[in-house]
């Protein structure tokens, strides 16, 4: 059979195969945008709840599809190539258009408001990814985020002001509640190249009274018989971090939050502190939207 006698449908398919261009997958675009905005495969992986190696494979396939290098890999970060900068603009617009189209035709399952309380530590680090994911599935539900002490968050939950709280476990006078969703070592940290850890008495920056970190640190120092002074007492962990960066004190800190210019102090120099835990506590009468948010929080910590 010659080309002239090919059925019209076959000719149309042949023409389509010759003129079609690859389509950009929205999931891959979302990964690309996340990496570009975070400047790191590792940080972006936490946002999209995948492993860095999975993200690396996605970007490799995207670069092969477009025939262009999109990132320049450096020691501690990645940055966009000129071609990557161009794609970033397209990617953001395509993702926004995709969300608008879905929202236009799929009415949200519910509307309303949720109150979510968290402490000022590891909990705030997972919020961007969690809230973005929840907004895609429940665009008409407003989430009010409140940051404060564990004691304050639990009191507001019991008063009906919040639906869900992420709090530190083991605070003095705080009965075990909820489900443990995260556990990691609490370590001594200080300024990279600093001298605070060599001073005597040891200057320490601690959280406010009633915080588990403070109790764990004081118990460890007293048990070891070390001479110390409380140089700073802070309501939020940002205050402890500022004291460490200024090399004015050392501080107990979750291991995952110890990043340059901070460093973990040699475990042989100061006594061990033990494990730091976060628990997720919710009201008994929460609805489907809150349960979805709970699922996103737990998934975020599984990949943290």
């Amino acid at each position: 059979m010659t080309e002239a006698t090919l059925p019209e449908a076959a000719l149309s398919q042949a023409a389509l195969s010759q003129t079609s261009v690859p389509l950009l997958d929205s999931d891959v675009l979302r990964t690309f945008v996340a990496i570009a905005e975070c400047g790191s495969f590792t940080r972006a992986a936490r946002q999209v709840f995948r492993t860095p190696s999975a993200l690396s494979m996605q970007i490799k396939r995207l670069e092969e599809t477009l025939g262009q290098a999109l990132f320049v890999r450096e020691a501690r970060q990645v940055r966009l190539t000129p071609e990557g900068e161009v794609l970033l603009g397209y990617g953001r617009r395509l993702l926004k258009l995709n969300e608008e189209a879905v929202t236009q035709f799929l009415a949200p399952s519910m509307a309303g408001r949720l109150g979510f309380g968290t402490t000022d530590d590891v909990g705030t680090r997972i919020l961007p990814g969690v809230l973005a994911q929840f907004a895609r599935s429940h665009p008409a539900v407003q989430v009010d985020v409140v940051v404060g002490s564990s004691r304050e968050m639990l009191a507001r939950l019991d008063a009906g002001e919040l639906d869900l709280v992420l709090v530190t476990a083991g605070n003095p006078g705080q009965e075990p509640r909820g489900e443990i969703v995260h556990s990691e070592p609490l370590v001594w940290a200080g300024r990279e190249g600093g001298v605070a850890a060599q001073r005597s008495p040891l200057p320490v920056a601690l959280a406010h009274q009633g915080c588990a970190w403070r109790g764990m640190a004081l118990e460890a120092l007293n048990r070891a018989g070390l001479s110390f002074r409380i140089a700073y007492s802070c309501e939020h962990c940002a205050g402890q971090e500022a004291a460490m960066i200024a090399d004015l004190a050392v501080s107990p800190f979750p291991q995952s939050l110890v990043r340059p210019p901070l460093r973990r102090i040699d475990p042989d120099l100061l006594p061990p502190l033990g494990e730091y835990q976060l628990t997720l506590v919710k009201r008994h009468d929460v609805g489907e939207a809150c349960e979805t948010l709970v699922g996103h929080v737990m998934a975020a910590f599984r990949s943290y």
Side-chain angles (χ1 to χ4, degrees):
M1 182 182 292
T2 65
E3 184 176 82
T5 60
L6 280 173
E8 183 177 345
L11 283 174
S12 299
Q13 182 63 39
L16 181 63
S17 65
Q18 292 175 3
T19 59
S20 63
V21 295
L23 298 177
L24 296 177
D25 184 272
S26 62
D27 186 50
V28 175
L29 278 178
R30 189 170 289 109
T31 293
F32 167 76
V33 171
I35 296 169
E37 292 177 345
C38 292
S40 162
F41 277 76
T42 301
R43 290 193 292 272
R46 293 172 185 159
Q47 266 197 28
V48 299
F49 309 119
R50 293 190 177 174
T51 63
S53 59
L55 267 61
S56 182
M57 290 180 61
Q58 282 187 308
I59 296 303
K60 181 180 178 182
R61 288 197 295 268
L62 180 60
E63 290 178 327
E64 289 174 351
T65 298
L66 298 178
Q68 301 287 346
L70 302 174
F71 291 104
V72 176
R73 276 77 166 174
E74 297 178 341
R76 297 195 171 200
Q77 63 178 7
V78 295
R79 57 184 175 84
L80 290 168
T81 63
E83 292 76 16
E85 291 174 342
V86 172
L87 181 62
L88 181 59
Y90 282 116
R92 284 172 171 160
R93 295 200 297 274
L94 286 169
L95 290 174
K96 187 173 185 294
L97 188 61
N98 180 73
E99 290 182 6
E100 287 178 0
V102 172
T103 301
Q104 176 69 29
F105 293 101
L106 297 180
S109 57
M110 61 177 57
R113 176 177 295 182
L114 282 177
F116 182 23
T118 181
T119 52
D120 178 32
D121 46 53
V122 176
T124 59
R125 305 313 194 267
I126 61 129
L127 279 182
V130 166
L131 295 178
Q133 192 174 18
F134 182 77
R136 288 194 290 271
S137 61
H138 294 74
V141 177
Q142 177 181 327
V143 181
D144 296 330
V145 178
V146 180
V147 179
S149 68
S150 296
R151 182 176 299 176
E152 178 191 357
M153 295 300 99
L154 288 170
R156 295 186 66 171
L157 179 78
D158 293 338
E161 298 174 15
L162 296 173
D163 302 288
L164 178 71
V165 296
L166 190 61
V167 297
T168 306
N171 293 312
Q174 178 181 310
E175 294 193 12
R177 297 176 62 179
E179 182 176 357
I180 294 175
V181 293
H182 180 67
S183 179
E184 67 173 282
L186 193 69
V187 300
W188 290 105
R191 172 82 190 203
E192 181 76 44
V195 297
Q198 280 75 51
R199 295 194 182 113
S200 183
L202 180 73
V204 293
L206 299 179
H208 56 86
Q209 290 189 0
C211 175
W213 299 6
R214 183 187 183 99
M216 294 165 71
L218 292 176
E219 182 181 350
L221 291 170
N222 287 323
R223 187 172 59 244
L226 289 180
S227 175
F228 68 93
R229 67 182 182 89
I230 300 177
Y232 295 91
S233 186
C234 317
E235 183 71 22
H236 301 291
C237 68
Q240 293 174 265
E241 189 171 10
M244 288 187 287
I245 291 175
D247 196 27
L248 298 174
V250 299
S251 184
F253 227 50
Q255 183 171 281
S256 65
L257 299 188
V258 181
R259 301 167 184 165
L262 301 180
R263 66 173 177 86
R264 181 178 180 179
I265 294 171
D266 187 343
D268 293 330
L269 295 179
L270 294 174
L273 294 167
E275 288 284 312
Y276 150 74
Q277 295 179 325
L278 284 175
T279 61
L280 194 61
V281 189
K282 61 183 179 181
R283 288 171 48 190
H284 296 298
D285 56 347
V286 297
E288 182 269 334
C290 188
E291 292 291 357
T292 300
L293 185 58
V294 168
H296 291 333
V297 171
M298 296 180 73
F301 276 119
R302 281 195 295 271
S303 61
Y304 187 81

